[in-house]
Amino acid sequence: MNLRLLAVAAATSLALAACSSSSDPAEKPAPGASKGTAKPLVEVSPLTGKAMKKGRPDNPVFVVKIENTDGGAPQYGLDHADMVIEELVEGGLTRLAAFYYSSLPSKVGHVRSLRTSDIGIAGPVGGQIVASGGASGAYRKVEKAGIRVFSEDGGAPGFSSDPLKVRPYNRLIDLKTVNRKAKRTRIPGPYLPWAPASGAKAAAPKAGAATTPAPKKATAATVRFSDFTTTSWALKGGKWVRTNGHAEAGKDFKADTMIVLSCRVGDAGYTDPAGNPVPETVFEGRGEARVFHGDEVTSVTWVKSGLKKGLRFETADGKPYRINPGHVFLELVPKDGGGVTLG
């Protein structure tokens, strides 16, 4: 997994490079060099960009589909997620895809069905989807894409009923139980282009150079998915949190960075039991994005070269833009009919 980070200061590396006046690969190492002088390699999480001091967990990345309406409230386990994505589903509603890697809670939910949009969502980190079920056409597409699915309909272990809810809003999952049947798989790379863990900022651009417009200031935001669904956000204690979310009291996901991506939405090719066309968020290509970090909002372009490829970002002049390590919430907003308002 291409996720290793040398725990050696950059200044030290530069100093060592400056001591050499030759690029001859056969050149002998400088006197005094010996084995064991470098610090050990430390892996960074593909979902948070933070160091995993104990190494990789003995589990794959699980992507749990979670109900995101009043009917499925309260949502359990979001405070243990590494990353969360909100996606459009039928009827103008949304659903969450919560990523679990560093921690496997014994109670996550309420679990709902998968969508074909989940290929582009889970693919970048080889995520294994946990869902209550799904339409047969959606299942075939997801499995054809090489993504493992643990579903209650398919006999996966770990599902239970919430006695305070009714179907289909009462399904809970124990990820520790699921993991007994899962296999740790290769993670292609990081989900996001992480900035150095030190949080160092890029040098200021030269006068007159084309660059991304200066960040705007905001401490609140409203993300619109449809006429029926908006997600409200507020900056509290340095974290971006939902103010109209459905999580268990005091246990919602707290985002160090919240990113709104404008995405094309197509037709998944089937309808739900009520006859509503099922949308498919096309999570590849490129589009506009706004990155919320602290009280700054930066406008950039998101780029994703394939459904299973990770995200990258570009400034107005085409230079790479990186995300500060931490917990990230991604809002996949429809290009047509969606949007974000700053407050």
Side-chain angles (χ1 to χ4, degrees):
M1 182 173 66
N2 187 22
L3 299 171
R4 294 182 177 269
L5 177 67
L6 272 175
V8 180
T12 303
S13 298
L14 290 174
L16 290 173
C19 291
S20 174
S21 60
S22 170
S23 59
D24 184 355
E27 185 179 8
K28 295 181 179 180
S34 62
K35 291 184 179 181
T37 57
K39 292 182 180 180
L41 292 169
V42 178
E43 293 183 296
V44 299
S45 168
L47 296 171
T48 67
K50 291 188 173 183
M52 298 186 294
K53 296 180 180 179
K54 296 182 179 180
R56 279 178 285 174
D58 191 22
N59 53 263
V61 174
F62 289 113
V63 183
V64 184
K65 300 304 304 296
I66 298 178
E67 175 68 21
N68 195 41
T69 67
D70 289 336
Q75 296 163 330
Y76 295 109
L78 286 181
D79 55 326
H80 291 280
D82 291 299
M83 187 176 77
V84 178
I85 293 180
E86 185 173 9
E87 62 180 298
L88 184 71
V89 293
E90 60 275 10
L93 304 176
T94 63
R95 193 154 292 172
L96 301 185
F99 290 67
Y100 296 90
Y101 187 49
S102 63
S103 174
L104 299 183
S106 58
K107 184 179 181 181
V108 179
H110 296 91
V111 184
R112 292 301 308 274
S113 55
L114 58 76
R115 297 291 183 275
T116 52
S117 302
D118 299 329
I119 298 172
I121 289 173
V125 287
Q128 301 187 21
I129 296 174
V130 178
S132 60
S136 58
Y139 261 115
R140 286 194 296 270
K141 288 184 178 181
V142 172
E143 292 177 344
K144 186 176 181 180
I147 294 176
R148 178 76 185 273
V149 177
F150 290 93
S151 74
E152 186 175 32
D153 288 353
F159 283 89
S160 63
S161 297
D162 183 343
L164 300 179
K165 310 291 291 186
V166 297
R167 281 186 180 269
Y169 307 111
N170 68 343
R171 312 319 294 158
L172 299 171
I173 189 68
D174 181 341
L175 289 180
K176 291 183 175 67
T177 301
V178 177
N179 192 46
R180 293 172 191 159
K181 295 291 185 178
K183 292 182 180 180
R184 191 172 75 176
T185 54
R186 176 179 174 271
I187 296 177
Y191 208 103
L192 295 161
W194 302 111
S198 62
K201 295 183 178 179
K206 296 179 179 179
T211 186
T212 295
K216 295 182 179 179
K217 295 289 185 178
T219 57
T222 300
V223 179
R224 181 177 183 275
F225 281 85
S226 69
D227 292 338
F228 307 100
T229 303
T230 59
T231 302
S232 299
W233 291 88
L235 182 63
K236 297 181 179 180
K239 308 284 187 179
W240 282 92
V241 295
R242 299 183 299 169
T243 58
N244 65 339
H246 304 285
E248 184 180 11
K251 295 186 178 182
D252 204 350
F253 184 83
K254 296 180 180 179
D256 296 291
T257 302
M258 188 266 287
I259 307 176
V260 180
L261 301 96
S262 178
C263 303
R264 182 170 64 86
V265 176
D267 189 336
Y270 63 95
T271 60
D272 70 1
N276 297 306
V278 177
E280 179 177 282
T281 299
V282 183
F283 200 21
E284 64 178 337
R286 60 192 297 125
E288 298 177 352
R290 291 191 183 184
V291 180
F292 293 73
H293 185 76
D295 64 352
E296 294 188 343
V297 184
T298 305
S299 296
V300 293
T301 297
W302 67 267
V303 181
K304 195 166 180 283
S305 58
L307 289 177
K308 291 189 174 183
K309 298 295 184 179
L311 275 167
R312 60 186 178 88
F313 300 93
E314 295 177 354
T315 61
D317 53 355
K319 294 181 179 179
Y321 180 90
R322 299 188 182 280
I323 305 300
N324 290 72
H327 291 97
V328 177
F329 196 114
L330 300 174
E331 298 276 44
L332 306 189
V333 174
K335 180 179 179 181
D336 297 320
V340 56
T341 303
L342 306 185

